[in-house]
């Protein structure tokens, strides 16, 4: 398989990832949480391929800032997937005391958000491709940190805004990779 084909496949993974995130966020108020959560986690798993594809196409131009953004966003995404999967399973021998890793949730969001910010800055700086998907991904991750602190009791649709923005950015970035 050529590098060109791998780039196109990572773009397709990003497109599917973004659509799954958007669908999971939109369906949140209407379906069981396990269904929308599965769509969101599957979208985040496919996001690994998109991040790798975007970095692979521009690694020589983005430099250290791009590498740092790629590493931080990948670690933040991996922690998000791990926390979501760990909180989904209830082991019969362990007493459920709430969130398993309460301090890890804000750290995960901060790592993911800072990584996406650095990645978006690096891609914008080199004018290599359209930068709006990276900025949408950053806006979605940043709003995910801000909304729960600003709004206490709000409808689920308010909390769906940040994953929708993240999903739009991911799908747009996947579409950019497919086109190039």
């Amino acid at each position: 398989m050529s590098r060109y084909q791998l780039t196109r496949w990572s773009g397709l993974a990003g497109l599917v990832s973004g659509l799954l995130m958007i669908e999971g966020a939109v369906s949140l108020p209407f379906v069981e949480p396990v269904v929308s959560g599965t769509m969101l986690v599957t979208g985040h798993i496919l996001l690994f391929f998109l991040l790798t594809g975007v970095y692979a196409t521009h690694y020589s131009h983005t430099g250290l800032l791009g590498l740092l953004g790629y590493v931080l966003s990948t670690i933040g995404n991996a922690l998000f997937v791990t926390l979501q999967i760990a909180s989904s399973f209830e082991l019969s021998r362990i007493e459920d005391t709430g969130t398993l890793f309460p301090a890890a949730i804000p750290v995960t969001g901060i790592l993911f958000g800072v990584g996406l910010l650095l990645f978006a800055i690096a891609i914008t700086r080199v004018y290599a491709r359209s930068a709006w998907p990276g900025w949408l991904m950053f806006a979605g991750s940043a709003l995910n940190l801000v909304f729960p602190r600003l709004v206490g009791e709000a409808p689920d649709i308010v909390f769906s805004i940040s994953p929708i923005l993240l999903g739009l950015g991911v799908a747009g970035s996947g579409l950019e990779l497919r086109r190039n």
Side-chain angles (χ1 to χ4, degrees):
M1 186 176 284
S2 69
R3 180 176 164 201
Y4 173 76
Q5 287 175 327
L6 284 174
T7 303
R8 289 186 50 85
W9 279 106
S10 68
L12 180 63
L15 190 58
V16 171
S17 170
L19 293 176
L20 280 171
M21 287 180 191
I22 293 168
E23 186 178 357
V26 169
S27 68
L28 187 64
F30 307 112
V31 298
E32 294 292 322
V34 70
V35 174
S36 60
T38 301
M39 285 188 260
L40 287 169
V41 168
T42 304
H44 275 276
I45 290 171
L46 289 173
L47 182 60
F48 286 117
F49 298 107
L50 175 75
L51 291 174
T52 304
V54 170
Y55 179 70
T57 55
H58 304 297
Y59 71 93
S60 62
H61 303 290
T62 57
L64 186 60
L65 192 62
L67 175 65
L68 191 58
Y70 170 70
V71 168
L72 288 178
S73 60
T74 302
I75 290 172
N77 192 34
L79 287 174
F80 173 80
V81 170
T82 303
L83 290 174
Q84 291 300 315
I85 291 173
S87 66
S88 297
F89 293 109
E90 247 182 78
L91 301 176
S92 61
R93 296 182 191 171
I94 297 177
E95 185 177 316
D96 186 22
T97 58
T99 307
L100 291 174
F101 309 104
I105 293 172
V107 171
T108 298
I110 291 170
L111 278 175
F112 189 57
V114 168
L116 289 176
L117 174 64
L118 294 176
F119 217 6
I121 290 172
I123 289 177
T124 303
R125 192 177 66 168
V126 298
Y127 302 109
R129 50 185 288 237
S130 184
W132 67 268
W135 290 107
L136 267 178
M137 289 192 297
F138 168 69
S141 66
L143 286 177
N144 197 26
L145 292 172
V146 174
F147 271 163
R149 286 162 182 75
L150 288 179
V151 184
E153 293 294 322
D156 287 337
I157 196 70
V158 172
F159 295 109
S160 296
I161 293 172
S162 58
I164 288 172
L165 286 177
L166 180 66
L168 285 172
V170 169
S173 192
L175 196 60
E176 289 283 324
L177 276 181
R178 288 289 294 174
R179 271 196 251 158
N180 294 334

